[in-house]
Amino acid sequence: MEAQMIILAAQTATNELSVWGLIVKGGWLMIPIFILSIIAVYIFCERFLLIRRYTRKNQDFIEKIQACLRSGNSGEALALCKSENTPVARMLAKGIQHRQLPVAELHAVMDTAANLEVTDMEKSLTTLATCAGMAPMIGFLGTVVGMVQAFYDMSVAGSNINITLLSRGIYTAMVTTVAGLIVGIIAYFAYNILTSCIDRVVNNMECASADFMETIYDLNHQK
């Protein structure tokens, strides 16, 4: 009796399918899905680590810039912007360098600088969105390929059809679909997280720009 239980346990362990076994049964279409997952994870980590330090709003920095401008020490204000090295700081540095322009033109210069900063932060987000869209599509392609394989095996087998014969195509169909959906969902979630972080940075830039323009307006009317 004990020997039979050991044999049954060994058979069960043999029949269990590991994650790697599932990946292998998914066929060659698992390769592009895996590549897309690596690209998505890399882009998310690289962009998130970069943007995360931009999201905090440093009100002390803005107040120091305003104090320097009111005291006429624009050189110190530029040095502060250079040491801060954030999108807000780079935008303000551009404004300080062109502070002698009329308010409307100065506002346009700062808007252009802000747009360039946003474009730089959004770099590679299009690729991440492409990964989110392509992975499920490749998974669905795997479904079609698996079904074609299953029907082909049926036609070759003739009257000797059994579930084991069809398992190859069914595995390809199901595994690639699941893998594609998992990668697509994760990439889409990562894309939305990065977009939310960039929106916060943009909001900080808008607040800083408004404070800066108010300071310049006050200084111009004091002359």
Side-chain angles (χ1 to χ4, degrees), residues 157-180:
S159 59
N160 299 319
I161 298 174
N162 57 68
I163 191 63
T164 303
L165 182 67
L166 302 178
S167 62
R168 180 175 60 164
I170 295 174
Y171 266 123
T172 299
M174 297 297 101
V175 172
T176 54
T177 301
V178 171

Side-chain angles (χ1 to χ4, degrees), residues 32-47:
I33 293 175
F34 177 74
I35 293 173
L36 290 175
S37 69
I38 295 298
I39 294 173
V41 170
Y42 172 78
I43 291 174
F44 173 73
C45 293
E46 188 269 335
R47 290 287 94 186

Side-chain angles (χ1 to χ4, degrees), residues 174-193:
M174 297 297 101
V175 172
T176 54
T177 301
V178 171
L181 288 173
I182 290 174
V183 173
I185 290 170
I186 292 174
Y188 182 71
F189 186 64
Y191 176 85
N192 283 326
I193 290 176

Side-chain angles (χ1 to χ4, degrees), residues 97-145:
Q97 292 169 348
H98 297 85
R99 64 188 182 282
Q100 302 300 333
L101 292 174
V103 173
E105 295 181 17
L106 178 59
H107 194 275
V109 169
M110 294 188 67
D111 279 348
T112 301
N115 290 334
L116 291 175
E117 292 293 337
V118 173
T119 300
D120 184 66
M121 287 187 290
E122 290 178 341
K123 184 173 62 177
S124 301
L125 259 64
T126 302
T127 304
L128 183 59
T130 301
C131 292
M134 281 189 64
M137 293 178 66
I138 295 175
F140 294 143
L141 175 61
T143 302
V144 176
V145 171

Side-chain angles (χ1 to χ4, degrees), residues 27-102:
W28 64 270
L29 283 171
M30 294 296 291
I31 297 175
I33 293 175
F34 177 74
I35 293 173
L36 290 175
S37 69
I38 295 298
I39 294 173
V41 170
Y42 172 78
I43 291 174
F44 173 73
C45 293
E46 188 269 335
R47 290 287 94 186
F48 182 75
L49 293 175
L50 177 69
I51 297 171
R52 184 178 62 176
R53 66 188 184 92
Y54 295 161
T55 56
R56 60 184 179 87
K57 184 177 181 180
N58 192 346
Q59 189 60 37
D60 291 339
F61 168 73
I62 305 298
E63 292 174 355
K64 289 178 182 178
I65 295 295
Q66 291 175 320
C68 290
L69 292 175
R70 290 192 177 99
S71 62
N73 196 346
S74 59
E76 184 178 350
L78 283 172
L80 285 171
C81 292
K82 186 176 181 180
S83 63
E84 186 75 7
N85 194 28
T86 62
V88 172
R90 289 190 287 268
M91 179 192 67
L92 291 180
K94 187 68 68 173
I96 294 169
Q97 292 169 348
H98 297 85
R99 64 188 182 282
Q100 302 300 333
L101 292 174

